[in-house]
């Protein structure tokens, strides 16, 4: 898939890994639309990069349908998510525990539904950005791991329905298998586990491979450009091992 001129919507693309992907897509001459909540941040981003920006709540079904209808994307990257509340399982309350179900999973469901019901044009690609916590768990972040694993099922169900209806759409999952210092989710996780282990933030961060959000974005962009994600449904990305296929059993 040559990304030059491709219409790509990045939901949750104003900071962190999302911003890294936006930079990488722009560098490859894609026509990028960035969706995020904060209009001020989006204005600054629009001045920095040649992108279209839309201020919207990613968890809104109406917003997903409207933006998909207006942009008619070739590729949708669903990266929107909340910072997980960090606490032990015996202390965390239900509202905090379900934070990522109410944001990450809800947003993924609505954008996938919009892709299926619009529908996107045949050959369309929807990528859900999950987490390594979906593989090994994350005992200090409540329902985060389960929420990120639920995104796998959403992609799998949507892929099956696309095949059944003959839509020609692909639904895929990218799994960052490390924490990234300097991102909202990464900082929350590193801080929480550092405190539990009696380490400094820097010591905990050093346990992970060296990879920046832009490095992650370049890896994802190259993977999409070279393979169109046709080989498998779930791909893991990590600074020291690169891209690997995940077998979800």
């Amino acid at each position: 898939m040559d990304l030059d001129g491709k219409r790509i919507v990045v939901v949750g693309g104003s900071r962190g890994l999302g911003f890294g992907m936006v930079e990488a897509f722009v560098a490859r001459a894609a026509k990028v639309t960035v969706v995020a909540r904060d209009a001020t941040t989006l204005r600054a981003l629009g001045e920095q990069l040649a992108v279209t920006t839309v201020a919207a709540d990613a968890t809104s079904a109406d917003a997903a349908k409207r933006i998909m209808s207006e942009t008619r994307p070739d590729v949708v990257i669903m990266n929107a998510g909340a910072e997980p509340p960090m606490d032990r399982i015996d202390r965390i309350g239900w509202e905090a525990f379900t934070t990522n179900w109410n944001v990450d999973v809800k947003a993924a469901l609505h954008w996938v539904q919009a892709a299926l019901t619009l529908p996107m044009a045949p050959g369309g690609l929807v990528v859900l950005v999950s987490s390594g916590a979906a593989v090994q768990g994350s005992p200090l972040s409540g329902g985060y791991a389960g929420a990120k694993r639920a995104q796998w099922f959403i992609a799998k169900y949507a892929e099956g329905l696309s095949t059944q209806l003959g839509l020609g759409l692909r639904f895929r999952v990218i799994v960052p298998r490390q924490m990234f210092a300097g991102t909202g989710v990464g900082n929350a996780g590193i801080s929480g586990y550092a405190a539990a282990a009696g380490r400094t933030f820097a010591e905990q961060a050093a346990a992970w491979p060296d990879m920046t959000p832009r490095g992650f974005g370049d890896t994802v962009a190259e993977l999409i450009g070279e393979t169109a994600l046709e080989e498998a449904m779930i791909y893991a990305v990590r600074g020291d091992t690169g891209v690997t296929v995940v077998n979800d059993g």
Side-chain angles (χ1 to χ4, degrees):
M1 179 185 286
D2 184 358
L3 298 182
D4 188 345
K6 283 291 187 290
R7 298 183 300 274
I8 302 179
V9 173
V10 182
V11 187
S14 63
R15 59 193 178 97
L17 297 186
F19 182 70
M21 288 185 283
V22 168
E23 289 184 304
F25 292 138
V26 169
R28 289 160 177 79
K31 297 179 180 178
V32 181
T33 298
V34 181
V35 180
R37 286 178 181 265
D38 192 330
T40 301
T41 300
L42 287 175
R43 277 195 297 272
L45 191 155
E47 293 172 357
Q48 178 182 352
L49 297 173
V51 297
T52 300
T53 62
V54 180
D57 179 357
T59 67
S60 165
D62 289 341
K65 293 175 184 176
R66 173 177 56 81
I67 296 167
M68 289 282 282
S69 180
E70 291 173 351
T71 59
R72 294 284 172 168
D74 301 296
V75 180
V76 175
I77 307 292
M78 169 47 62
N79 182 66
E83 294 179 16
M86 303 296 295
D87 210 344
R88 286 181 2 186
I89 192 65
D90 59 334
R91 295 172 178 169
I92 194 167
W94 178 247
E95 291 303 316
F97 186 89
T98 56
T99 295
N100 296 99
W101 286 86
N102 290 322
V103 179
D104 304 46
V105 179
K106 187 177 181 181
L109 176 64
H110 287 158
W111 285 82
V112 163
Q113 288 177 330
L116 289 166
T117 58
L118 185 60
M120 289 177 73
L125 172 65
V126 178
V127 180
L128 307 182
V129 180
S130 179
S131 166
V135 181
Q136 75 268 5
S138 178
L140 289 183
S141 58
Y144 178 72
K148 302 313 280 186
R149 186 65 180 237
Q151 293 178 318
W152 298 22
F153 289 108
I154 290 173
K156 187 173 184 178
Y157 301 160
E159 179 87 358
L161 185 59
S162 173
T163 299
Q164 178 184 332
L165 298 177
L167 299 178
L169 305 179
R170 280 162 295 136
F171 295 85
R172 299 292 187 261
V173 179
I174 299 289
V175 182
R177 291 214 63 177
Q178 66 173 86
M179 292 185 188
F180 291 81
T183 67
V185 173
N187 285 351
I190 292 169
S191 296
Y193 283 100
R199 298 174 183 162
T200 65
F201 181 94
E203 289 170 338
Q204 189 69 26
W208 297 103
D210 184 19
M211 187 179 226
T212 64
R214 175 58 191 270
F216 174 83
D218 283 328
T219 300
V220 171
E222 289 167 10
L223 179 62
I224 293 174
E226 293 172 3
T227 72
L229 303 188
E230 292 180 344
E231 178 184 358
M233 178 169 286
I234 304 170
Y235 301 81
V237 175
R238 185 178 160 105
D240 52 357
T241 55
V243 178
T244 54
V245 170
V246 177
N247 183 353
D248 69 347

